[in-house]
Amino acid sequence: ARDGIIYEASADYRIEMTKDFSVTPSLTYEMGDFDGASNSYDGYGASLLLMYRSPPFLLVPVFIYSFDQYDESHPLFGKKREDSRFSMFLTAQVSGRVGAPGFYFKVITGYVATASNIDFCGSDGAFGGMTVGYRFCTEQRAHCPQLVAATFNDAPVAGMC
């Protein structure tokens, strides 16, 4: 493993298209500073997050493209590495169904493909998962007992009702 640090700067802006739908484009710059210049890189990325929220449903697809340019030739492969990565993720959630306002069900799936000018460094993969959970406090707070009255700047303290 190589020691190093990654610095990242990003800018995004959420655009409300309707009361139920928003779009958030984003631009990112990343600098990987690692021991060994062939592992250090400058990366550039763009993403688009779409959010559709119509209670009890939430749907969030995300699309990301990034490009990394490495600083020096790789000692084993004899050339500078350049990677381009495409990722897409989808999260879907249903909240408060079956007469239990605090319960939710969430599914997430994703795919990531990395193309590299060094074949050994290219990859792709997919994943999926699901969560069933319970929120003790919801916006309606109808089922949430007043456990704690602590607030900070008129907002409930994190993790408390």
Side-chain angles (χ1 to χ4, degrees), residues 96 99-105 131-138 142-145 161:
F103 280 97
Y104 65 91
F105 177 75
T131 303
V132 176
Y134 183 81
R135 283 192 188 89
F136 290 96
C137 297
T138 63
H143 67 285
C144 182
C161 295

Side-chain angles (χ1 to χ4, degrees), residues 2-8 30-36 39-42 71:
R2 297 279 183 179
D3 289 330
I5 191 164
I6 297 173
Y7 302 94
E8 181 180 301
E30 195 174 273
M31 182 181 78
D33 185 15
F34 290 89
D35 293 344
N39 290 309
S40 296
Y41 65 92
D42 290 298
D71 293 349

Side-chain angles (χ1 to χ4, degrees), residues 81-141:
R81 183 173 158 194
E82 292 183 352
D83 293 346
S84 60
R85 182 174 302 108
F86 176 72
S87 309
M88 57 184 169
F89 308 100
L90 177 65
T91 302
Q93 178 173 310
V94 179
S95 300
R97 302 306 293 173
V98 195
F103 280 97
Y104 65 91
F105 177 75
K106 184 184 294 187
V107 175
I108 185 169
T109 187
Y111 175 75
V112 179
T114 301
S116 180
N117 66 330
I118 299 175
D119 290 338
F120 181 78
C121 298
S123 66
D124 66 336
F127 69 90
M130 67 179 204
T131 303
V132 176
Y134 183 81
R135 283 192 188 89
F136 290 96
C137 297
T138 63
E139 294 172 19
Q140 296 83 19
R141 296 184 183 264

